[in-house]
Amino acid sequence: MVAGSRPTSCRNYRCWIERLNHITESKTLKFALEKTTEDMEQQIIRETFHLVSKRDENVCNFLEGGLLIGGSDNKLIYRHYATLYFVFCVDSSESELGILDLIQVFVETLDKCFENVCELDLIFHVDKVHNILAEMVMGGMVLETNMNEIITQVDAQNKMEKSEEATLGMRVSFVTVYSIAR
Amino acid sequence: MALKMVKGSIDRIFDKNLQDLVRGVRSHREDEAKYISSCIDEIKQELKQDNIAVKANAVCKLTYLQMLGYDISWAAFNIVEVMSSSKFTYKRIGYLAASQCFHDGTDVIMLTTNQIRKDLSSPNQYDTGVALTGLSCFVTPDLARDLANDIMTLMSHTKPYIRKKAVLIMYKVFLKYPESLRPAFPRLKEKLDDPDPGVQSAAVNVICELARRNPRNYLSLAPLFFKLMTSSTNNWVLIKIIKLFGALTPLEPRLGKKLIEPLTNLIHSTSAMSLLYECVNTVIADCCVCVKTDTCPRPPQLCVQKLRILIEDSDQNLKYLGLLAMSKILKTHPKSVQSHKDLVLQCLDDKDESIRLRALDLLYGMVSKKNLMEIVKKLMVHVDKAEGTTYRDELLTKIIDICSQSNYQYITNFEWYISILVELTRLEGTRHGHLIASQMLDVAVRVKAIRGFAVVQMATLLDNTTLLAGSGQHKSICEVLYAAAWICGEFSEHLEDPVHTLEAMLRPKVATLPGHIQAIYIQNAAKLFAAVLNGQQGTPDCQTMQESSQLLIDRLPLFVQSADLEVQERASCILQLVKFIQKLQHKEVEVGEEVTALFAGELNPVAPKAQKKVPVPDGLDLDAWINEPPSESESEDEKPVAVFAEEELRHARPHHTEVDEKELARRREARKQEQANNPFYIKASPTSQKDSTGVEHIPVVQIDLSVPLKVPGMSTSDKYLKLEEERRQRERKERGKKEKKKKKKREKRSGMGRRHDSGPESEEDIAPAHMVDIVTEEMPENALSSDDDEKDPNDPYRALDVDLDKPLADSEKLPVRAHRPTNILKSPADDGEVQEVPKEPKKKSKKEKRDKEEERKVRLLWLRCPNGEIQCTCTKSSKHKKKKQKKDKEKEEKKRKKQHGHSGDREGEESVQNGTLEEEPLPVCDIQGNLQNGSQVVVSIIFENKSTSFLKSMEFNVLDSLNSKLQRPEGSGPHDGLTVPFQLPPGVSNEARFIFSVQSIVMPQRLKGTLTFIVKADDSSTHEKLDFKLHFTCSSYLITTPCYSDTFAKLLESADLKGTSVRLQEVSLPFHHLLAKICFHHHFSVVERIDSCASLYSRSIQGHHVCLLVKYAHQTVTIDAKCDESSLLGNVLEEIKKTFSQS
């Protein structure tokens, strides 16, 4: 996911996050702050993917920001898990090692919420990934870093959703039964 | 209805959901675009359905498509619909979609204000949470202003989950609406002590972010943070606080000393590497401050040592961070870092690009005269090896940065530098051609001794044009030719074979270069031509001269046909000149001198800020008009400011002082002097130059002839490296001899200075090959020494630079919204209300006593009524119009009685007296233009029952005028009333809407109306009547319509707008309040604002354009207005005037 903004006015963005798939087929992106055009977002993703994917396994996890992500104050911080890249773009007010920890928390949270998360989970449930992320990062600022707290809130919301679905679901099954009976 | 729902549910089963879409996209790899466009068609169908579940599903899919890069802004309205669903599931989908695709320019955002406010106050904490999360992504200045107070309330919510989010989002609100910072800050500070760690962390986060931009304002919080730092165990919070201290210590050196101890403790105690690193970082910052004040008890040597350990670590992340921190020390303690040069150079070979880049940064501070060549050589090797263009470009800029830093301080041999630059031009596809070019120009202009060498090199470059222009798709490198051509032309006296170079510059291939370079080629070809003529002067054979003029005449026509104007113009000009010269040549007239005179004069470098620093001479008023401005400006150009030239600030009287002859003479003299000093001023004759500038006394040193001047092919910098080394060797030997002689002297002096004596050869010992005759950049005489020109006025954080300790003024309170959104500014009507409110209780109590015994007098309606206005956003659907209303009221009945005689004066509302009733109509109504139908106005009226009795059978009737008619259902007569579709229990209010058809909107309207109703009491009921007036102002026919400045300019250019203007005296409001007030009350939107000048735009429901230019100076506001309907405009201006006269 990417949270970012128009490169020319990048000064006011704080933190973007990006998760890229190896094949770039599923990208969950979140751009915080000012709106970029879709084309610009895609370009940033392509560029970022290009930068990140060609890096070796045992190099550092920081990439200096190019013009595209808003100049020298910003840098890309990423982690690589199997076929997935989790990329955050942060400015100098964030601690580099702290963000690496945050990515770890994010991945562990995904793992808990999806029960052994795999790539396909993230591809097919983009919305859920977003909802989890929303509990961690809000408007480009780190909201919560405690995994248990994040999971509690996510679960509570899912439960609410389920209970709403249950009422709808019942209606549906009633209809189904009705139509069969007829 | 039930059937419909059932049907919807069945449909839903067969609809594609998000997972199906993802699957589909994955299986249609080849024709993805086609598949997705079919999906979008499906989604469009789904969005048309009434079923919210179907809509939500569609929006969910759209969100996914947005992430794939498809524009979904067309569905913005549907997203708002889904957002306003009562179900959390759908709401969340809606907000997610909104956070992905809404931005400042999305017009439907205006519709969301009320929905978001509702969600914020929802009893379900997750509704609130999801709204806050969404809002954090798309908050606009309008939303921030309207919701600031609601969010501030949420900061004290009972649930920590909400508090945390509300605190964090405040930062976004501050950014968009800086006025909210001061009122909200005390509460934000309170949250630092919140029992919940999440909330505390969020508050620290926000304050750190604010303090990072304007640290000075937050110094007073230092003790609080100090306490937090020693007590908190949350690493996230600690890191933030420590970072904050890093920003504060430069402002308060004493803080640094205090911090050292707790920081050292943390370094020893923490196991978290991230925290440790931040501590080291802040210690470094402390030490840097201490050095400045000379109070530091310990050198940062310790930190450097620690960092060295980090850099040597096998973990690449730590290595990177170590280098990063090292560069911070470098700024203040270059020496302590320089001793680690080996380590840094080693990092240059690292396989990791990020680490190499960091190391490069460090190199910048490590170079000296001694090692510059060596380091650059190393870098050049990397340039050759570098595969990616980004890293190579970075290397290139670094090389140039390193070499050119502090005015070429470390360069001892400029021939070497020119060779390096020439070598760099060989890089294909670099983006920094212009950088190399500007370096070449700079060096050639400023280092006189090098010109001969540079010209030869440049001539070689020009000869290789084909090689340069033909290679690579990145044309940037051909910028170098720009420099080469200019240098060859300008310093043509150094050329060995000018005719050859002239030929090289006029090759047909040149025409493929970018226009600005071609133009330089042509201009400099002319200079070369002049040089050739001058060189051949006096020699008997004029063969060369005639050949070269023929060459120009042959080749130039190609450029005369150029599509580039500049090229064309110069080429044709010079072509004619050459033709003329050729004629003279045939007549055997000597022309060399005259042609040379065209290009006579020396160019001197001028400091970049020189222009700004020229002091304004006494008696010159730059703002004064030179000629009286024309009364009506016809030349309306793109800038809206220029449109209304008519008024001009009369108070800014030009100081037209009488200038006597003496003064004139003095000024003339001064001007001559200035021209003489101005390198760009072409002097009348070359002789006038002699006494002009200081160029003459710059020592020009002969070039060391051990360096061969003519280099076959491209030069290699290595050669110079070797030569330089030899030279230094030689010099050292010579010095060695001298040294012996001086030994005695030196012994006496030893111990004084010479701190740099670290290596075998100290800095000072290296004499530059050329006396470095770097011409310093010129500044105008008596330049102003102001250095405040760095600040960027567009910095969004500047607005947040406010004093937070000052007590709050009343005017700063956040806009609270009781019933309808009110502006932070009080409208004149609001003022009226404030005056009336205190009177009310008294009246009521009196009345109530009477009421008890006497006939039941019902005090009832709080009729919210006209004079009000609405802003209606332009959405496609008229059903979902959003209104931002404003209240306005008529006088209360009681008052009317008293003032009956002159009630007409105030707002012109006459009341129809009703003796028996004590109504207090404080009507607020929204009159809202119907966009779909230019002749319809929707009036929303809120009825509030203020009595203790039940009201029913209300009937609303208005006496139609010729122009405005209440729309009644078919079949009813023109005087029948409309039944209000609800009853009012005591204390309840409700809103009803009535549609009026209006024919002409150019005049304000007043309609008399009556409301009849039955008051039901326990035992009996009575029939009562209330009279009111509806005031349709002209402003209420306007609809706030955003307008871009270019369309605005076009509009003004079109001739059919008529203009007029008004002037308001003694307006003491700040300008932005004033603008807000006009926008708010009269439905304008600001198109552009420049200082105290702004252009505003609005549109009437019948499509009239109304344009305003508001200027503000010395409490006087001038409004120039244009509209295609002059009487409408007149009335609107009248209303604006009234708004301000009452405030």
Side-chain angles (χ1 to χ4, degrees):
Chain A
M1 340 215 145
V2 190
S5 87
R6 202 175 291 125
T8 48
S9 57
C10 265
R11 253 172 310 170
N12 21 358
Y13 84 73
R14 294 268 297 93
C15 173
W16 42 264
I17 316 128
E18 174 170 0
R19 190 174 60 70
L20 295 159
N21 187 286
H22 242 6
I23 339 158
T24 56
E25 67 169 334
S26 90
K27 314 146 219 182
T28 322
L29 34 140
K30 176 129 213 133
F31 281 81
L33 295 183
E34 265 148 76
K35 176 66 180 159
T36 48
T37 64
E38 274 76 15
D39 289 344
M40 184 62 80
E41 288 178 8
Q42 294 303 313
Q43 200 193 336
I44 291 176
I45 292 170
R46 271 196 304 274
E47 191 104 333
T48 311
F49 176 69
H50 180 72
L51 282 176
V52 167
S53 62
K54 69 169 190 226
R55 286 175 68 82
D56 284 340
E57 198 47 45
N58 47 356
V59 295
C60 75
N61 298 347
F62 312 114
L63 265 174
E64 305 273 315
L67 277 179
L68 209 52
I69 57 161
S72 57
D73 195 37
N74 303 315
K75 54 170 81 81
L76 296 174
I77 300 179
Y78 72 96
R79 257 176 194 267
H80 186 186
Y81 295 88
T83 58
L84 290 169
Y85 285 98
F86 292 80
V87 186
F88 279 52
C89 172
V90 301
D91 64 15
S92 62
S93 74
E94 298 294 341
S95 149
E96 291 87 352
L97 295 172
I99 294 294
L100 281 179
D101 287 349
L102 186 73
I103 300 178
Q104 182 65 31
V105 171
F106 183 38
V107 174
E108 281 176 30
T109 313
L110 287 175
D111 198 50
K112 287 255 167 64
C113 293
F114 283 105
E115 282 153 18
N116 281 328
V117 68
C118 72
E119 188 186 325
L120 288 180
D121 285 329
L122 306 187
I123 294 174
F124 282 105
H125 301 280
V126 180
D127 48 342
K128 287 188 186 145
V129 179
H130 265 290
N131 294 336
I132 294 169
L133 188 65
E135 295 301 320
M136 297 179 62
V137 178
M138 195 176 104
M141 300 177 65
V142 179
L143 177 70
E144 183 58 71
T145 52
N146 179 346
M147 188 165 65
N148 292 333
E149 171 71 16
I150 298 167
I151 291 175
T152 319
Q153 302 299 351
V154 171
D155 282 348
Q157 293 179 52
N158 289 343
K159 219 171 271 169
M160 249 180 82
E161 199 172 293
K162 283 234 174 68
S163 70
E164 285 182 357
E165 247 164 40
T167 56
L168 289 173
M170 268 177 41
R171 193 180 302 138
V172 172
S173 55
F174 163 74
V175 171
T176 327
V177 170
Y178 171 76
S179 57
I180 291 167
R182 207 168 55 158
Chain B
M1 184 63 198
L3 188 68
K4 215 172 172 184
M5 267 172 84
V6 167
K7 193 169 161 285
S9 302
I10 295 175
D11 284 347
R12 225 167 71 86
I13 304 171
F14 303 113
D15 276 343
K16 230 185 251 159
N17 63 16
L18 176 62
Q19 279 72 39
D20 299 324
L21 177 73
V22 176
R23 203 168 291 125
V25 172
R26 278 164 67 89
S27 60
H28 288 78
R29 281 270 161 67
E30 311 80 43
D31 53 345
E32 189 185 291
K34 202 175 136 213
Y35 177 75
I36 286 181
S37 79
S38 79
C39 286
I40 289 183
D41 288 341
E42 266 172 44
I43 290 171
K44 280 185 179 159
Q45 286 307 314
E46 287 168 24
L47 288 176
K48 280 187 193 142
Q49 292 188 31
D50 285 340
N51 190 324
I52 190 73
V54 178
K55 266 189 191 162
N57 185 39
V59 165
C60 186
K61 288 190 280 183
L62 278 178
T63 313
Y64 178 72
L65 292 181
Q66 194 272 344
M67 290 175 215
L68 293 185
Y70 293 84
D71 177 32
I72 60 160
S73 53
W74 51 270
F77 188 76
N78 302 101
I79 293 174
V80 175
E81 281 181 300
V82 175
M83 273 162 76
S84 46
S85 157
S86 56
K87 286 238 179 345
F88 173 73
T89 318
Y90 305 143
K91 198 182 278 300
R92 184 153 80 163
I93 291 171
Y95 273 104
L96 175 62
S99 68
Q100 289 291 98
C101 91
F102 282 9
H103 52 91
D104 273 2
T106 307
D107 45 11
V108 290
I109 281 198
M110 296 162 105
L111 303 185
T112 58
T113 318
N114 278 323
Q115 180 56 41
I116 295 174
R117 178 173 289 130
K118 215 175 102 193
D119 289 336
L120 290 183
S121 54
S122 159
N124 181 342
Q125 62 165 331
Y126 293 112
D127 280 353
T128 314
V130 95
L132 284 171
T133 307
L135 187 63
S136 72
C137 290
F138 58 80
V139 59
T140 62
D142 282 340
L143 282 180
R145 187 193 58 228
D146 294 341
L147 298 174
N149 195 55
D150 302 66
I151 298 172
M152 213 168 103
T153 322
L154 289 180
M155 282 166 75
S156 325
H157 200 272
T158 49
K159 297 251 173 40
Y161 178 75
I162 300 297
R163 284 208 302 274
K164 173 171 88 177
K165 290 194 166 192
V167 167
L168 209 54
I169 202 180
M170 276 321 274
Y171 178 66
K172 287 302 181 73
V173 173
F174 296 152
L175 276 186
K176 297 284 179 183
Y177 180 56
E179 288 87 339
S180 59
L181 177 56
R182 283 182 22 81
F185 194 73
R187 192 167 294 181
L188 187 61
K189 209 167 128 186
E190 244 167 56
K191 294 296 137 195
L192 286 175
D193 290 328
D194 199 277
D196 185 84
V199 181
Q200 195 186 40
S201 154
V204 170
N205 219 335
V206 171
I207 292 182
C208 287
E209 201 56 41
L210 291 168
R212 196 164 74 100
R213 308 291 176 177
N214 302 299
R216 192 165 297 279
N217 303 333
Y218 300 87
L219 265 181
S220 61
L221 292 183
L224 195 62
F225 277 115
F226 196 84
K227 207 184 89 203
L228 263 181
M229 184 173 79
T230 42
S231 63
S232 176
T233 52
N234 181 340
N235 281 349
W236 277 93
V237 171
L238 282 173
I239 287 175
K240 283 281 170 194
I241 294 176
I242 288 167
K243 267 188 176 283
L244 173 73
F245 277 130
L248 291 183
T249 41
L251 302 171
E252 181 54 271
R254 281 172 301 173
L255 195 60
K257 268 193 234 159
K258 257 194 151 177
L259 281 173
I260 297 260
E261 203 210 318
L263 285 181
T264 338
N265 286 345
L266 271 175
I267 290 176
H268 289 310
S269 63
T270 184
S271 57
M273 210 54 191
S274 47
L275 184 57
L276 187 135
Y277 171 71
E278 294 306 335
C279 289
V280 172
N281 237 337
T282 303
V283 173
I284 291 170
D286 284 351
C287 290
C288 294
V289 176
C290 293
V291 161
K292 275 183 213 146
T293 53
D294 284 332
T295 54
C296 185
R298 36 197 241 162
Q301 205 57 36
L302 208 111
C303 295
V304 179
Q305 228 87 68
K306 275 224 166 72
L307 290 179
R308 190 176 169 111
I309 294 168
L310 283 184
I311 296 173
E312 282 168 339
D313 199 290
S314 61
D315 186 342
Q316 295 279 338
N317 289 336
L318 297 182
K319 185 177 270 188
Y320 172 87
L321 293 175
L323 288 170
L324 192 67
M326 199 74 115
S327 63
K328 283 179 191 152
I329 306 186
L330 186 70
K331 281 175 202 141
T332 45
H333 299 78
K335 261 158 265 138
S336 52
V337 183
Q338 262 159 16
S339 55
H340 301 280
K341 203 182 86 192
D342 55 318
L343 197 61
V344 175
L345 284 177
Q346 199 183 311
C347 288
L348 267 190
D349 294 325
D350 201 285
K351 59 182 184 301
D352 189 345
E353 191 179 304
S354 300
I355 289 181
R356 287 198 305 252
L357 284 172
R358 286 281 104 216
L360 267 182
D361 257 6
L362 278 173
L363 272 187
Y364 179 85
M366 288 183 161
V367 289
S368 63
K369 280 183 180 165
K370 196 176 49 175
N371 60 18
L372 174 73
M373 284 176 147
E374 177 200 342
I375 288 179
V376 171
K377 186 184 164 196
K378 211 166 167 172
L379 293 180
M380 289 301 282
V381 174
H382 281 288
V383 170
D384 287 340
K385 282 197 298 194
E387 60 286 2
T389 46
T390 341
Y391 178 57
R392 211 179 51 184
D393 281 353
E394 189 61 36
L395 272 172
L396 193 154
T397 45
K398 262 295 147 6
I399 290 175
I400 290 177
D401 276 359
I402 289 176
C403 291
S404 62
Q405 67 174 308
S406 34
N407 218 2
Y408 306 104
Q409 190 191 344
Y410 300 116
I411 295 187
T412 51
N413 186 334
F414 276 94
E415 281 160 20
W416 165 81
Y417 187 46
I418 294 276
S419 323
I420 288 284
L421 289 177
V422 171
E423 266 177 56
L424 287 176
T425 61
R426 288 197 219 136
L427 298 182
E428 270 177 43
T430 177
R431 274 183 309 187
H432 294 297
H434 60 276
L435 193 63
I436 304 176
S438 68
Q439 281 292 302
M440 285 174 169
L441 285 172
D442 200 37
V443 173
V445 171
R446 293 173 61 191
V447 187
K448 277 199 145 189
I450 202 66
R451 283 180 192 166
F453 179 77
V455 167
V456 174
Q457 291 291 320
M458 295 302 124
T460 329
L461 270 184
L462 285 180
D463 229 6
N464 285 329
T465 303
T466 39
L467 182 140
L468 280 163
S471 63
Q473 65 275 70
H474 280 283
K475 287 280 183 198
S476 163
I477 195 66
C478 57
E479 293 290 332
V480 172
L481 293 176
Y482 177 97
W486 188 86
I487 292 171
C488 285
E490 187 64 27
F491 308 117
S492 50
E493 67 270 19
H494 300 288
L495 271 180
E496 305 211 314
D497 188 358
V499 183
H500 179 71
T501 312
L502 183 61
E503 196 273 333
M505 279 165 80
L506 292 168
R507 284 179 196 152
K509 195 100 200 234
V510 170
T512 58
L513 289 171
H516 65 285
I517 300 179
Q518 284 185 53
I520 283 291
Y521 264 69
I522 290 162
Q523 188 74 17
N524 285 285
K527 287 185 199 165
L528 273 182
F529 178 61
V532 171
L533 288 185
N534 208 25
Q536 300 292 324
Q537 201 84 31
T539 52
D541 88 294
C542 44
Q543 176 96 27
T544 332
M545 291 203 279
Q546 277 169 12
E547 267 174 17
S548 45
S549 26
Q550 194 53 47
L551 178 76
L552 281 166
I553 292 171
D554 290 346
R555 298 278 176 85
L556 280 177
L558 172 68
F559 298 101
V560 175
Q561 295 162 9
S562 168
D564 192 289
L565 268 184
E566 183 77 13
V567 177
Q568 200 187 65
E569 198 178 355
R570 291 193 191 205
S572 64
C573 200
I574 286 164
L575 182 61
Q576 292 314 313
L577 181 74
V578 176
K579 278 184 181 162
F580 179 67
I581 290 169
Q582 201 183 30
K583 252 188 237 165
L584 290 174
Q585 278 173 339
H586 287 311
K587 288 181 201 159
E588 310 217 336
V589 182
E590 295 272 302
V591 286
E593 224 160 82
E594 280 83 354
V595 180
T596 320
L598 282 177
F599 306 108
E602 177 116 21
L603 290 179
N604 295 324
V606 175
K609 285 180 201 155
Q611 179 75 51
K612 258 195 230 165
K613 306 260 169 152
V614 177
V616 179
D618 286 344
L620 174 65
D621 183 354
L622 290 173
D623 297 325
W625 285 93
I626 297 172
N627 297 315
E628 272 310 303
S631 58
E632 183 69 30
S633 76
E634 295 303 316
S635 59
E636 289 166 350
D637 51 0
E638 64 288 343
K639 280 256 170 177
V641 185
V643 171
F644 311 95
E646 190 179 357
E647 48 42 75
E648 206 30 74
L649 330 150
R650 268 184 215 154
H651 30 270
R653 276 253 164 259
H655 311 285
H656 274 307
T657 45
E658 286 298 306
V659 193
D660 57 316
E661 270 304 298
K662 237 181 177 176
E663 173 71 7
L664 274 178
R666 195 188 63 77
R667 282 192 202 167
R668 209 172 294 132
E669 196 47 49
R671 193 166 58 237
K672 268 189 197 153
Q673 190 64 37
E674 203 169 298
Q675 284 167 2
N677 286 330
N678 184 351
F680 294 129
Y681 191 83
I682 300 167
K683 282 120 193 168
S685 73
T687 47
S688 72
Q689 185 199 332
K690 277 188 180 157
D691 52 358
S692 61
T693 56
V695 182
E696 263 66 29
H697 41 78
I698 295 166
V700 179
V701 172
Q702 289 300 308
I703 297 172
D704 189 349
L705 281 179
S706 64
V707 180
L709 274 182
K710 190 171 181 183
V711 186
M714 294 291 197
S715 59
T716 44
S717 52
D718 287 358
K719 198 156 47 195
Y720 294 98
L721 188 58
K722 222 173 251 166
L723 282 171
E724 177 72 12
E725 230 128 73
E726 282 167 17
R727 189 181 66 83
R728 286 186 191 175
Q729 287 269 326
R730 238 184 5 252
E731 275 178 9
R732 212 175 305 152
K733 269 185 207 158
E734 278 169 29
R735 208 181 302 121
K737 288 176 202 162
K738 283 180 196 165
E739 217 94 305
K740 277 179 191 165
K741 290 177 194 168
K742 284 187 185 171
K743 217 177 176 182
K744 269 190 181 173
K745 264 189 186 173
R746 268 190 71 181
E747 270 169 357
K748 275 182 202 164
R749 281 196 304 179
S750 67
M752 292 168 61
R754 296 238 140 214
R755 284 174 297 165
H756 304 271
D757 224 339
S758 50
E761 197 182 5
S762 73
E763 282 287 279
E764 288 97 313
D765 288 345
I766 306 169
H770 314 140
M771 255 345 243
V772 191
D773 46 353
I774 297 168
V775 184
T776 43
E777 294 166 326
E778 288 192 352
M779 279 297 222
E781 290 171 71
N782 52 23
L784 304 169
S785 59
S786 63
D787 265 320
D788 53 349
D789 30 26
E790 315 297 344
K791 283 199 177 150
D792 175 8
N794 294 326
D795 185 1
Y797 303 103
R798 243 176 85 168
L800 293 181
D801 190 3
V802 290
D803 185 359
L804 293 163
D805 301 327
K806 226 167 52 184
L808 273 183
D810 273 355
S811 60
E812 283 180 300
K813 294 260 166 65
L814 285 177
V816 184
R817 191 219 211 198
H819 227 86
R820 309 258 111 187
T822 55
N823 199 314
I824 187 165
L825 315 161
K826 283 184 183 138
S827 67
D830 291 337
D831 287 343
E833 185 172 54
V834 170
Q835 291 160 7
E836 284 171 18
V837 166
K839 290 178 194 165
E840 258 169 47
K842 216 165 66 187
K843 284 173 209 153
K844 274 184 191 163
S845 57
K846 265 189 206 162
K847 267 183 257 159
E848 252 140 35
K849 275 179 208 155
R850 260 188 295 153
D851 288 354
K852 274 178 194 164
E853 287 102 32
E854 296 180 12
E855 339 103 79
R856 269 156 297 111
K857 283 181 186 167
V858 193
R859 160 167 332 145
L860 35 135
L861 295 170
W862 193 243
L863 207 204
R864 316 201 153 210
C865 164
N867 205 357
E869 308 89 33
I870 300 295
Q871 291 167 355
C872 170
T873 58
C874 40
T875 52
K876 278 138 221 156
S877 156
S878 64
K879 282 184 218 157
H880 301 274
K881 238 174 271 149
K882 125 139 216 176
K883 26 178 187 149
K884 273 188 193 163
Q885 328 75 335
K886 191 164 165 217
K887 39 183 137 159
D888 226 305
K889 45 63 247 295
E890 288 172 10
K891 288 157 278 172
E892 49 163 309
E893 189 79 6
K894 187 94 186 214
K895 198 159 178 181
R896 285 185 192 163
K897 277 186 191 166
K898 288 182 193 159
Q899 298 188 339
H900 190 50
H902 45 255
S903 61
D905 312 342
R906 229 195 106 203
E907 298 202 75
E909 270 135 41
E910 296 154 45
S911 61
V912 179
Q913 185 88 25
N914 185 326
T916 49
L917 280 176
E918 311 239 332
E919 289 117 337
E920 296 180 18
L922 248 193
V924 169
C925 91
D926 311 327
I927 302 180
Q928 185 180 342
N930 187 340
L931 255 196
Q932 301 265 301
N933 189 338
S935 59
Q936 275 191 0
V937 175
V938 180
V939 180
S940 314
I941 301 178
I942 292 178
F943 299 89
E944 185 174 346
N945 184 356
K946 306 209 85 188
S947 71
T948 50
S949 315
F950 194 88
L951 302 187
K952 62 174 199 175
S953 307
M954 289 191 280
E955 221 176 68
F956 176 88
N957 201 357
V958 169
L959 209 55
D960 290 348
S961 72
L962 280 176
N963 190 27
S964 313
K965 291 187 171 66
L966 176 63
Q967 288 211 337
R968 299 174 167 89
E970 272 181 60
S972 54
H975 303 297
D976 293 351
L978 286 181
T979 315
V980 180
F982 47 78
Q983 301 180 335
L984 283 180
V988 169
S989 67
N990 206 339
E991 180 183 304
R993 291 185 180 186
F994 304 95
I995 295 172
F996 285 79
S997 59
V998 183
Q999 268 170 2
S1000 159
I1001 61 160
V1002 300
M1003 296 289 283
Q1005 287 275 322
R1006 287 207 174 82
L1007 293 185
K1008 250 183 222 172
T1010 324
L1011 185 79
T1012 52
F1013 49 89
I1014 293 171
V1015 183
K1016 202 164 178 276
D1018 298 337
D1019 43 352
S1020 66
S1021 58
T1022 48
H1023 201 260
E1024 306 283 5
K1025 184 174 140 214
L1026 174 70
D1027 290 332
F1028 60 87
K1029 287 202 117 200
L1030 286 172
H1031 188 186
F1032 293 74
T1033 58
C1034 278
S1035 298
S1036 57
Y1037 299 129
L1038 297 182
I1039 298 168
T1040 312
T1041 318
C1043 179
Y1044 294 106
S1045 51
D1046 45 344
T1047 27
F1048 188 75
K1050 257 183 222 150
L1051 200 62
L1052 288 169
E1053 274 165 25
S1054 64
D1056 40 38
L1057 297 191
K1058 294 168 204 89
T1060 177
S1061 69
V1062 291
R1063 182 182 291 266
L1064 311 171
Q1065 304 282 2
E1066 288 172 42
V1067 179
S1068 52
L1069 290 171
F1071 188 58
H1072 63 278
H1073 280 201
L1074 181 118
L1075 280 188
K1077 209 161 172 172
I1078 295 177
C1079 290
F1080 190 69
H1081 290 267
H1082 304 283
H1083 312 157
F1084 280 90
S1085 63
V1086 177
V1087 179
E1088 202 170 8
R1089 182 182 159 187
I1090 300 159
D1091 301 331
S1092 56
C1093 208
S1095 42
L1096 288 80
Y1097 174 80
S1098 186
R1099 243 186 74 174
S1100 78
I1101 52 170
Q1102 294 182 356
H1104 304 290
H1105 303 286
V1106 189
C1107 309
L1108 297 187
L1109 178 80
V1110 184
K1111 289 190 180 178
Y1112 182 63
H1114 305 271
Q1115 303 211 335
T1116 308
V1117 181
T1118 344
I1119 302 176
D1120 292 282
K1122 289 207 163 189
C1123 174
D1124 37 12
E1125 176 52 68
S1126 52
S1127 49
L1128 173 69
L1129 183 61
N1131 286 317
V1132 170
L1133 287 183
E1134 207 48 47
E1135 283 157 19
I1136 292 178
K1137 219 169 167 176
K1138 203 178 271 174
T1139 309
F1140 286 98
S1141 63
Q1142 286 163 358
S1143 59

